[in-house]
Amino acid sequence: MREVRVFAPATVANVAVGFDILGFAINRPGDEIVARLNPAFSGVRITAITGTGDKVLPLDTEKNTAGVSAQRLLHHLGQPETGVELEIHKKMPFGSGLGSSAASAAGAAVAVNELLGAPLTREALLYFTVLGEEVADGSFHADNVAPCLVGGITLIRSNDSLDVHHLPVPNGLHVAVVHPEIEILTRDARAVLSDQVPLSVAIRQTGSLASFITALYTNDISLLGRSLHDHMIEPQRKQLITGFDDVKAAALQRGALGCSISGAGPSIFALCDSGYLAQAVGQGMQAAFQQHGVESQLYVSPINQRGVEILSVTD
Amino acid sequence: MREVRVFAPATVANVAVGFDILGFAINRPGDEIVARLNPAFSGVRITAITGTGDKVLPLDTEKNTAGVSAQRLLHHLGQPETGVELEIHKKMPFGSGLGSSAASAAGAAVAVNELLGAPLTREALLYFTVLGEEVADGSFHADNVAPCLVGGITLIRSNDSLDVHHLPVPNGLHVAVVHPEIEILTRDARAVLSDQVPLSVAIRQTGSLASFITALYTNDISLLGRSLHDHMIEPQRKQLITGFDDVKAAALQRGALGCSISGAGPSIFALCDSGYLAQAVGQGMQAAFQQHGVESQLYVSPINQRGVEILSVTD
């Protein structure tokens, strides 16, 4: 039967200056999702989940981000009776702040869309992907799924209306992402955040954000570096990440443009103006974690401009 | 003796989405400043202030925004002994939210610089202009003086470091500015502001800001309109402006892209995609004010791209 295999990349959300509104995709790690037509049943069934280590993801379609994303898409396309098998091959850590649930949701939507002859554009798949992501954390937000689907750096003006925009990527921009073996529950990452922001902090944060966007459009790497400061969220969340200050200091000392928490953490990203530098910066960050007795994985990547990739289609 | 006459334009700060960090200049109204060499004394003397109506501005150089701006510049240039007469011809309302004190400060700096053979660039004059502006309201901020000096739409990443950036202006963009005959004291405009912002409001505001900057760079008028929402400051300050909701509704109903408070108010600006529309929008706003028994002045203008203009130099 017809089968589609896709790769859905990890993503870095928030990006220091854009809490809940900015995200970008990286080349590796990511998930592989396989969608296969199966006339023996109707609707979406998850037939395999691999790579979860000692953790468990739900096989129940309605509780799984990939399942919900695929199921809602089938309904929208008027094909709820079509039988689709989904295999989810996790090839990235989850609960890591790297958009694992978003990758599964986006990969499933693209795979099922392709399985049915690609009736929808990537942009049109966003809504179903966000519905899938919502199952994982209970909130309707596109800051991971949007860059995962379409690649690049994306801005979400409004999650309510999914008003999403593609931002330009400065030449040479690379990222070092370090995932420490620390567990942060999303609910803890939210719980440490005050529901109020001092006005003076909001003003500094908006100045950083506006100049970050300006730097992207003007390819101004120096301004990008001056802009990459999270005055609002990082000071509250960094306490959850052992060694954060030292890891960040190591990144900046080696020449990173900026360094902050990826998504809700514990992964930490550092933007750099070349791949060579990102490699050196990442190794410095790992060494700093090690000083605190924390093992980590390093991923070095340019900004991924492709989003979900179709690896194979077999009829 | 050598004399320089300049025109310094009014400015709209905050611009709905960039409290304390965004501003733009308009063509009219503005101040005229005359600087004249006078070897009979040393330092800056203010010899005339006109156009203040029933209000009074200080003639004491050290208490006057134009005086301080000019004096600090003379000192920086190593010419504290040079005698300079300053005339300040106010041709705009003050306490109006249109950057009146900034116009005087910027006009004085440009006039004195030109008087001395223009040793400094416009950008280099910014610091002295901000020092002048500081006399008027006690805070060091460039959101009015920067656009007044250099024109256009300016972004201030950081007031501390005066990291200022010129933003592109979409084709056809015009503004209607309506100044109602209401008085708001700057201290009242500050006093109504909470020193805390709900996190959910800060997130919406940053989404609006980032997409506003994106709209400027991509010349996307539709996105500009969707972005022009002040979730943070306008809801708190609008109570100080009689009829605000009706004036804003009138602007939007006639097709304005967005409408909000200029600076600390009471002036209200509306951005429009043509000069014709801005005229109609402005008249609608005035009519709405009149329904509340409030008289007003209307200024319609493209974004002023020149900043302070040198009107004449005579030796």
Side-chain angles (χ1 to χ4, degrees), chain A residues 41-151:
Chain A
F41 55 86
S42 69
V44 176
R45 286 196 193 170
I46 298 167
T47 55
I49 302 179
T50 68
T52 58
D54 53 0
K55 298 179 185 175
V56 176
L57 287 179
L59 278 163
D60 180 344
T61 300
E62 284 297 317
K63 291 182 179 162
N64 184 296
T65 61
V68 168
S69 173
Q71 185 83 281
R72 296 294 179 278
L73 175 59
L74 272 190
H75 276 261
H76 171 78
L77 293 173
Q79 302 194 40
E81 307 301 319
T82 302
V84 175
E85 292 179 16
L86 273 189
E87 293 176 13
I88 302 167
H89 303 289
K90 299 301 296 181
K91 300 197 169 184
M92 58 185 292
F94 49 104
S96 59
L98 293 174
S100 168
S101 60
S104 292
V110 172
V112 170
N113 187 53
E114 189 67 25
L115 198 63
L116 302 178
L120 297 187
T121 62
R122 286 291 168 100
E123 286 72 16
L125 294 178
L126 181 63
Y127 175 68
F128 311 101
T129 307
V130 177
L131 287 176
E133 167 83 318
E134 195 179 12
V135 175
D137 66 5
S139 77
F140 191 84
H141 67 102
D143 51 342
N144 288 105
V145 290
C148 179
L149 258 183
V150 298

Side-chain angles (χ1 to χ4, degrees), chain A residues 24-243:
Chain A
F24 62 75
I26 59 181
N27 281 353
R28 292 282 180 281
D31 286 349
E32 277 185 32
I33 307 285
V34 179
R36 194 179 299 112
L37 289 176
N38 187 335
F41 55 86
S42 69
V44 176
R45 286 196 193 170
I46 298 167
T47 55
I49 302 179
T50 68
T52 58
D54 53 0
K55 298 179 185 175
V56 176
L57 287 179
L59 278 163
D60 180 344
T61 300
E62 284 297 317
K63 291 182 179 162
N64 184 296
T65 61
V68 168
S69 173
Q71 185 83 281
R72 296 294 179 278
L73 175 59
L74 272 190
H75 276 261
H76 171 78
L77 293 173
Q79 302 194 40
E81 307 301 319
T82 302
V84 175
E85 292 179 16
L86 273 189
E87 293 176 13
I88 302 167
H89 303 289
K90 299 301 296 181
K91 300 197 169 184
M92 58 185 292
F94 49 104
S96 59
L98 293 174
S100 168
S101 60
S104 292
V110 172
V112 170
N113 187 53
E114 189 67 25
L115 198 63
L116 302 178
L120 297 187
T121 62
R122 286 291 168 100
E123 286 72 16
L125 294 178
L126 181 63
Y127 175 68
F128 311 101
T129 307
V130 177
L131 287 176
E133 167 83 318
E134 195 179 12
V135 175
D137 66 5
S139 77
F140 191 84
H141 67 102
D143 51 342
N144 288 105
V145 290
C148 179
L149 258 183
V150 298
I153 306 176
T154 54
L155 162 67
I156 294 105
R157 182 186 65 80
S158 158
N159 279 300
D160 295 337
S161 57
L162 294 183
D163 192 355
V164 173
H165 302 274
H166 228 84
L167 302 177
V169 177
N171 300 338
L173 197 66
H174 279 68
V175 61
V177 177
V178 175
H179 171 238
E181 293 181 357
I182 297 170
E183 188 152 10
I184 297 183
L185 297 175
T186 301
R187 66 168 178 271
D188 290 343
R190 284 275 161 184
V192 295
L193 296 184
S194 167
D195 60 3
Q196 299 286 320
V197 180
L199 179 59
S200 60
V201 168
I203 294 169
R204 285 205 298 280
Q205 187 80 356
T206 54
S208 293
L209 170 64
S211 54
F212 176 81
I213 306 285
T214 298
L216 296 184
Y217 275 101
T218 56
N219 201 19
D220 184 338
I221 288 287
S222 167
L223 179 59
L224 192 75
R226 299 202 297 287
S227 305
L228 273 170
H229 299 289
D230 181 356
H231 307 279
M232 198 164 83
I233 302 297
E234 180 187 299
Q236 301 181 74
R237 275 193 175 158
K238 67 179 187 175
Q239 58 180 290
L240 298 173
I241 304 171
T242 308

Side-chain angles (χ1 to χ4, degrees), chain B residues 61-73 75-76 101 105-106 109 125-142 145 162:
Chain B
T61 301
E62 284 297 317
K63 291 181 178 163
N64 184 295
T65 60
V68 168
S69 172
Q71 185 83 280
R72 296 292 180 280
L73 175 59
H75 276 261
H76 171 78
S101 60
L125 294 177
L126 180 63
Y127 176 68
F128 310 102
T129 307
V130 177
L131 287 176
E133 167 83 318
E134 194 179 12
V135 175
D137 66 4
S139 77
F140 191 84
H141 66 102
V145 291
L162 293 183

